[in-house]
């Protein structure tokens, strides 16, 4: 069985929370994009949709 990740520390401010969220979404966007390049064609569309969604959220968050 896999280990349970430690809970994340709460952000010290709203700005720090937005920055952390933006960073996490950017990481998810990049990861989904990289996986889409190596995935089966039947899964490529789903992964590119996830990457596009994360990119959209990053844009909205500024």
């Amino acid at each position: 069985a896999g280990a349970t990740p430690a809970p994340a520390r709460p952000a010290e401010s709203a700005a720090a929370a937005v920055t952390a969220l933006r960073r996490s979404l950017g990481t998810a966007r990049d990861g989904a994009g990289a996986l889409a390049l190596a995935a089966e064609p039947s899964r490529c569309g789903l992964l590119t949709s996830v990457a596009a969604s994360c990119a959209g959220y990053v844009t909205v968050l500024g």
Side-chain angles (χ1 to χ4, degrees), residues 3-22:
T4 303
R9 289 184 8 195
E12 295 181 19
S13 69
V18 170
T19 299
L21 179 58
R22 196 178 314 125

Side-chain angles (χ1 to χ4, degrees), residues 23-39 47-48 50-51 54:
R23 188 178 313 120
S24 294
L25 286 167
T27 301
R29 175 200 60 216
D30 296 344
L35 284 173
L37 295 173
L47 290 165
T48 55
V50 169
C54 290

